[in-house]
Amino acid sequence: MSELALYGGEPAVREPLGTATSVSEADVARVADAARRGEISYDASEGLVAELEGAFETRLGQRYALATSSGTAALHSAFFGLGLKRGDEVLAPTYTYLATVMPIVACNATPVLVDAEPDTGNIDLADAERHVTPRTRAMVVTHLSGHPVDMERAVRFARRHGLRLVEDASQAHGAASAGAEVGTRGDVAAFSLQGRKLVAAGEGGMLVTSDTDVYERAVMLGHFAARSEQEVRTPGRVPFAKLGYGLNYRMHPLGAALALGQMERLDRSLELRAATFAAYDAILREIPGLDPAPRQSHVTRHAGYSYQPLYDPAAWGGLPRSVFVGALRAEGVPASVPSSPPLHREPFFTCAETGVETFAVDPDRHLYRAGELPRGEEYVASAWRLPVPAQALPADVLAGFAEAFRKVAAGAEELRKKGAVGT
Ligand SMILES: *Cc1c(COP(=O)(O)O)cnc(C)c1O
């Protein structure tokens, strides 16, 4: 009988990975206390939400932080804050979570997709060059998997072309490029505080900026009446502050209660993730045909949101990535592959039809073809992923992972012959 768990052998990892969270008992108590006090919604800038905003302002040294109901809402507020108009183009990565890009459409502007770097999947600033037109107004970059974009380069690019720069830092709280933390170099940054993120409110987001104009516009989009009347100061806007622009993007106070302690402990939790990262590096370095997750030289801190190396079938005698990952999973290693194509392969970007009638979609927008942004497609076809839990992995689990990789490497020939058809 085969040693490989895929074909009926004993799995190398017996302990399933628990559902570790970064929530402490003190966080839970803060939520319970707020609920008991009936502190479950705010009108103005106050209480737990104001405290969480203060924590972001202080950490990032920015003038303003605006809590929102989601990271998507923070991104929408950021693009709205820039004052985009119909026909304006925004450069955006083709490989990112959909919420980096679709709020551009909700602002009546046109996303122009840019190819991916082959190693990190982050936006390729060299490719961005050819997509700049006289209508380009802004660029959004995503710090994917906790690996920051080279922000010195991104800022230089944006300045050279007169573009506003938006950072989607939803997967990278605390990451730094050339010593500067994400959310400090762009004109405005958005963070998600969704349940799987590095600081988790459950559902929630945070916009951060030092630009008063961007901030006031963002407040007027999603924080009508009390808060906008309190904070909007530009004379021409004051009469309009109360009504706002039609949305309620306020954060739930209990979400803020849950996130506050995690924000205070962010550096400690990034250290725990860095330890898991280093352990994964050491395991993969021992295995011929595997490289550790990439880390570019400008990175001074990787946030360790997920561990994302590249798989080269040629280094495994042509063994498909799906069989490699399937064999690891059978051994009890929760490896996975990207679950979505790059955005330019999604129907919204390839079809003239959009499913619903909407005023916001540019009828003359570009429709994308397969192969048009090839490195984004190659990245999705070759990346694979190991989860990085919020808590450090016990030594016996890591030893099990190492054993699983050794077994899969030793069984490569058998895997090539039999494929994914197990017993
Ligand atoms: C999670 C995420 C978002 C969206 O955040 P929500 O809080 O789920 O709305 C946006 N961009 C990226 C890169 C994300 O990972």
Side-chain angles (χ1 to χ4, degrees), residues 70-72 75 96-97 99-100 142 168 170-171 192-194 197 204:
S70 69
T72 309
L75 284 154
T96 182
Y97 186 59
T100 312
T142 305
D168 183 350
S170 295
Q171 302 184 358
S192 169
L193 308 182
Q194 186 267 350
K197 301 297 160 71

Side-chain angles (χ1 to χ4, degrees), residues 58-371:
T58 304
R59 177 164 183 123
L60 300 177
Q62 300 289 298
R63 282 177 75 183
Y64 309 106
L66 179 65
T68 55
S69 50
S70 69
T72 309
L75 284 154
H76 185 200
S77 304
F79 293 122
F80 188 86
L82 292 178
L84 297 177
K85 296 184 305 298
R86 182 184 297 278
D88 286 345
E89 295 175 353
V90 181
L91 302 179
T94 189
Y95 182 62
T96 182
Y97 186 59
L98 60 96
T100 312
V101 175
M102 299 315 285
I104 297 168
V105 177
C107 287
N108 237 329
T110 304
V112 173
L113 300 176
V114 175
D115 214 346
E117 289 181 339
D119 53 346
T120 62
N122 280 343
I123 192 167
D124 180 354
L125 293 167
D127 185 64
E129 206 78 46
R130 72 185 170 105
H131 300 286
V132 175
T133 76
R135 302 165 88 177
T136 313
R137 287 275 318 281
M139 174 167 74
V140 56
V141 302
T142 305
H143 308 290
L144 281 171
S145 309
H147 187 298
V149 165
D150 183 341
M151 285 307 291
E152 283 186 352
R153 254 185 95 194
V155 167
R156 243 183 287 128
F157 179 92
R159 288 216 182 106
R160 189 163 71 242
H161 295 288
L163 309 181
R164 307 303 299 275
L165 183 56
V166 180
E167 292 179 68
D168 183 350
S170 295
Q171 302 184 358
H173 313 60
S177 165
E181 197 153 309
V182 299
T184 61
R185 301 292 311 272
D187 293 293
V188 53
F191 292 82
S192 169
L193 308 182
Q194 186 267 350
R196 283 181 300 274
K197 301 297 160 71
L198 295 162
V199 174
E203 297 291 350
M206 192 67 71
L207 174 151
V208 178
T209 186
S210 284
D211 184 316
T212 302
D213 196 45
V214 169
Y215 180 69
E216 287 192 354
R217 293 181 60 99
V219 169
M220 286 173 81
L221 179 68
H223 304 259
F224 51 70
R227 182 158 186 179
S228 49
E229 289 186 300
Q230 180 184 21
E231 298 197 65
V232 173
R233 288 280 162 267
T234 301
R237 289 195 181 124
V238 171
F240 304 97
K242 184 173 85 186
L243 262 57
Y245 291 113
L247 298 175
N248 172 0
Y249 275 168
R250 290 194 298 266
M251 177 181 281
H252 199 299
L254 298 186
L258 200 58
L260 256 173
Q262 296 172 62
M263 189 62 191
E264 286 160 10
R265 297 190 302 276
L266 179 58
D267 288 314
R268 176 66 192 135
S269 49
L270 294 190
E271 280 166 25
L272 294 175
R273 286 173 179 272
T276 302
F277 239 70
Y280 287 166
D281 280 351
I283 290 172
L284 266 59
R285 273 200 203 97
E286 297 298 313
I287 307 296
L290 289 184
D291 289 320
R295 188 185 169 118
Q296 296 173 345
S297 57
H298 63 89
V299 177
T300 42
R301 191 172 208 182
H302 192 305
Y305 178 67
S306 86
Y307 190 86
Q308 206 143 301
L310 297 171
Y311 177 77
D312 177 10
W316 288 71
L319 183 72
R321 182 184 62 171
S322 59
V323 181
F324 165 76
V325 168
L328 283 171
R329 293 185 67 89
E331 298 296 341
V333 176
S336 62
V337 300
S339 54
S340 298
L343 290 169
H344 74 279
R345 301 308 305 134
E346 294 281 0
F348 180 88
F349 289 98
T350 62
C351 309
E353 282 298 313
T354 53
V356 294
E357 283 175 37
T358 160
F359 68 92
V361 175
D362 174 3
D364 300 323
R365 75 210 161 95
H366 177 70
L367 300 177
Y368 290 82
R369 287 169 286 101

